[in-house]
Amino acid sequence: MKNLMMIVMIAIGVSSFAFGQEKTSKNNSVEAQIIALEKASWEAWKNRDAKWYQNNLTDDALNVTSGSVSDKSQQIKNLGDCEVKSFSLDNFKFLSLDKNAALITFTAVMDAVCNGKTVPSTALASSVYVKRDGKWLNILYTDTPAAQ
């Protein structure tokens, strides 16, 4: 009987560990997808790629920066107003909100001018992604200029 109890306890422990690993592995996969999407969005901004934004933002997406709050159509229209010489993204943190929503935060360093004004060179940013019809889409981007 002791051996049977020991086997049951080990089986429970191993299955719990395996289940936890599967969930962690799944989160890591989603995290990698979301970070790749975010990096692609910055490339699209730099390249003024309206098609990328059309295909990868929700219809109700919002962009909140120190200068404005804009919806999807305004974001796409405003792409032509920016000249992005370079950018780098670092210090990503990922938070799964549920199986269909995730949040990332990161630091963005950029050399850009929009509407004739220099964009703050360093910003603390966050993006929320939602899964709709099996595809991850950006629903909210926000940033705050970092203290210099």
Side-chain angles (χ1 to χ4, degrees):
M1 186 70 168
K2 283 185 180 182
N3 286 341
L4 180 59
M5 285 300 282
M6 182 64 83
I7 291 170
V8 169
M9 295 299 285
I10 290 171
I12 290 171
V14 169
S15 66
S16 297
F17 177 76
F19 179 74
Q21 289 295 338
E22 182 179 325
K23 188 173 184 177
T24 299
S25 176
K26 189 174 185 179
N27 278 346
N28 288 343
S29 173
V30 171
E31 179 177 355
Q33 287 177 9
I34 299 300
I35 290 172
L37 280 169
E38 188 63 33
K39 289 177 178 179
S41 77
W42 282 72
E43 281 296 330
W45 179 51
K46 181 180 178 187
N47 297 325
R48 300 176 181 172
D49 183 355
K51 185 175 181 178
W52 190 94
Y53 280 82
Q54 189 64 43
N55 293 330
N56 291 283
L57 299 182
T58 62
D59 289 339
D60 53 347
L62 292 175
N63 185 31
V64 182
T65 62
S66 61
S68 68
V69 176
S70 55
D71 63 17
K72 181 178 180 175
S73 64
Q74 291 167 317
Q75 288 180 64
I76 292 169
K77 180 182 171 210
N78 293 342
L79 284 174
D81 298 336
C82 293
E83 180 184 343
V84 183
K85 293 180 183 173
S86 65
F87 69 87
S88 65
L89 310 177
D90 200 6
N91 300 319
F92 283 96
K93 303 228 179 343
F94 174 84
L95 178 62
S96 177
L97 302 174
D98 69 24
K99 68 180 184 172
N100 293 311
L103 164 74
I104 57 170
T105 63
F106 56 97
T107 303
V109 176
M110 65 209 99
D111 181 2
V113 175
C114 293
N115 294 317
K117 296 179 184 175
T118 301
V119 175
S121 61
T122 305
L124 305 175
S126 61
S127 277
V128 176
Y129 286 81
V130 293
K131 196 171 196 178
R132 294 192 177 162
D133 297 324
K135 182 177 179 181
W136 287 102
L137 301 169
N138 184 273
I139 192 167
L140 175 67
Y141 169 83
T142 185
D143 69 35
T144 303
Q148 300 298 318

